[in-house]
Amino acid sequence: MRQQILSLLVAAVSATCTTPTISQTADTPHSTVKIDPQAPVGSAKNPVRVSSGVMAGLLLAHKLPLYPVAEGPYKSGAVILHAIITPNGNVDRVSVISSPESLRQRALDAVQQWVYKPYLLNGTAVWVQTTIMMNIDFGG
């Protein structure tokens, strides 16, 4: 009896839930690459999705956003970016998911110069898509 109830619950959940596919998530406004699910995983057309925490651990060199003092009051805020990283670790494309308008371009310019250790999938360096989160506080 217990097994029958469990089977019914699994069937009910399966009927109402669908797992999002890459092609469904590729149409989000912050996506900077057109995902082709038919392309090989880890290619430029189908980069591997890697968490921001894992990619932060692979960061080799980064520049921080610059804020010229002549522009007036200091700004601060959270910036969330979507980035595509090449197999050699360079940032290929980056776009803004969320950011105060005054910090957007500075964050984009800084991240475009970042360099990562290549992400390996089965021993081969692959293209990666990830999220970059920055808390910017220029003080003041």
Side-chain angles (χ1 to χ4, degrees):
M1 179 69 170
R2 184 175 179 181
Q3 186 64 30
Q4 289 173 330
I5 292 172
L6 184 57
S7 296
L8 288 173
L9 286 172
V10 169
V13 169
S14 298
T16 58
C17 296
T18 59
T19 304
T21 62
I22 292 174
S23 60
Q24 289 173 322
T25 59
D27 296 329
T28 56
H30 62 270
S31 181
T32 59
V33 66
K34 186 74 172 167
I35 302 297
D36 179 6
Q38 304 304 321
V41 173
S43 66
K45 297 236 181 222
N46 192 3
V48 174
R49 185 175 298 273
V50 179
S51 75
S52 59
V54 169
M55 291 311 293
L58 296 175
L59 189 60
L60 295 175
H62 69 283
K63 296 211 174 204
L64 298 176
L66 299 175
Y67 191 82
V69 177
E71 287 196 17
Y74 291 102
K75 307 286 187 218
S76 63
V79 177
I80 303 172
L81 305 169
H82 179 257
I84 304 297
I85 301 170
T86 66
N88 63 4
N90 294 320
V91 175
D92 182 58
R93 284 165 280 180
V94 62
S95 61
V96 176
I97 296 173
S98 173
S99 170
E101 185 64 38
S102 60
L103 301 176
R104 261 176 211 198
Q105 195 57 51
R106 286 178 179 76
L108 289 170
D109 293 343
V111 169
Q112 206 51 59
Q113 300 175 54
W114 289 11
V115 179
Y116 290 86
K117 181 178 178 184
Y119 182 81
L120 302 179
L121 181 65
N122 297 327
T124 303
V126 295
W127 287 79
V128 169
Q129 62 177 314
T130 193
T131 303
I132 298 170
M133 294 171 268
M134 304 166 68
N135 285 316
I136 298 175
D137 185 8
F138 287 112

